[in-house]
Amino acid sequence: MDFSEISQRGLVLLGAGKMGSALLQGWLSGGLSPAAVYAVDPNPSDWLKAQGVQINAPLPADPAVVLVAVKPQMMGAALPHLQSYGGGRTLFVSVAAGTTIAAYEAVLGAATPIVRSMPNTPAAVGRGITAIIGNAHATAAHVDTAEALLSAVGQVVRLETEAQIDAVTAVSGSGPAYVFHLIEALAAAGEAEGLTAEMAMQLARATIIGAGELARQAPESASQLRINVTSPGGTTAAALEVLMEPEAGFTPLLRRAVKAAADRGRALGK
């Protein structure tokens, strides 16, 4: 990414917890000068202190970007400090779950360029996927900047409307928890079939990780990869007959789970 404008004008990182730190690590390894970063965090970590960025220092007059990475419940206290940047040349990029574009516009003014995003926790290992959507004042260049900054921790997709963010939250935002639960459930099933708890967990974890990596690298679709593992009348086919049961199988179960997450997201956003 071309960091020239950010290097000149500065970037304010509001919140340097797990997500903020993961992003910062990506930017610094991508060539952003630490001197251009102004981190604002009440409890800076030892890692943050060792990066050479400015921590809780006086902020620049006209930063290129303010990236908001505080927890939603801290938003009310944190945002008003940045009101002076509203309606100007500063782009606000939010990775805070549940905070709508309208909520930012209410504090910063509707003329502020804002990009809202929904990342997920695999960002911590550079394997995240983040969905982004800009407000009416975010230009194509603003959205490109947000995408470049968020690409530091994985893939980025662009939404057509902000309303889609609840579905994204339900699929990729909350999705890692579904996969972790799948590991737990698969290990428990292995234990029920006579494996030790430790071995069942090792097999389950390695299987999910390996299958994920295969899905990432293989040119085939997920459906084709499933078919490749399934010999007619074999063991996998017997298991899939249960998992793919139309009424009580995995597809309707996951559809209900994702709908519950999306519905909760919509309710929290109101």
Side-chain angles (χ1 to χ4, degrees):
M1 157 169 197
D2 175 15
F3 284 123
S4 55
E5 194 181 357
I6 288 175
S7 299
Q8 285 161 21
R9 294 171 55 199
L11 180 151
V12 175
L13 178 61
L14 186 64
K18 281 182 186 161
M19 189 61 70
S21 295
L23 284 162
L24 177 59
Q25 189 163 21
W27 303 332
L28 297 177
S29 54
L32 178 61
S33 162
V37 178
Y38 296 77
V40 180
D41 196 286
N43 304 301
S45 66
D46 291 341
W47 176 83
L48 185 67
K49 291 174 188 167
Q51 299 314 303
V53 302
Q54 315 205 41
I55 302 172
N56 299 328
L59 300 180
D62 179 36
V65 179
V66 171
L67 193 129
V68 183
V70 293
K71 289 195 162 52
Q73 56 269 31
M74 311 294 290
M75 196 67 75
L79 259 193
H81 296 301
L82 304 172
Q83 246 169 333
S84 61
Y85 297 143
R89 297 196 308 150
T90 299
L91 166 65
F92 279 75
V93 179
S94 167
V95 297
T99 305
T100 62
I101 286 172
Y104 284 105
E105 289 178 341
V107 176
L108 302 167
T112 309
I114 298 161
V115 174
R116 182 181 174 190
S117 73
M118 180 68 221
N120 64 0
T121 53
V125 291
R127 283 265 189 267
I129 186 158
T130 304
I132 62 174
I133 182 79
N135 71 342
H137 258 270
T139 63
H142 285 135
V143 179
D144 287 347
T145 297
E147 178 168 341
L149 287 169
L150 295 162
S151 294
V153 292
Q155 299 177 46
V156 177
V157 295
R158 298 188 183 202
L159 302 179
E160 287 154 26
T161 68
E162 189 182 10
Q164 293 174 313
I165 213 131
D166 295 310
V168 168
T169 303
V171 173
S172 57
S174 301
Y178 316 158
V179 178
F180 302 143
H181 185 52
L182 179 59
I183 294 173
E184 289 179 303
L186 188 54
E191 226 184 308
E193 289 299 323
L195 296 170
T196 65
E198 201 175 299
M199 183 182 285
M201 181 54 77
Q202 187 181 351
L203 289 166
R205 276 178 77 137
T207 299
I208 303 298
I209 293 162
E213 189 60 25
L214 187 57
R216 191 178 78 87
Q217 291 192 27
E220 297 96 329
S221 66
S223 298
Q224 189 56 51
L225 289 170
R226 168 179 55 75
I227 291 162
N228 294 352
V229 186
T230 313
S231 317
T235 59
T236 310
L240 287 175
E241 216 169 293
V242 177
L243 283 175
M244 296 177 80
E245 217 271 320
E247 301 299 315
F250 203 41
T251 298
L253 178 65
L254 212 48
R255 189 170 292 156
R256 293 206 316 274
V258 168
K259 184 183 186 307
D263 287 347
R264 178 59 56 89
R266 289 180 197 108
L268 292 173
K270 285 198 170 68

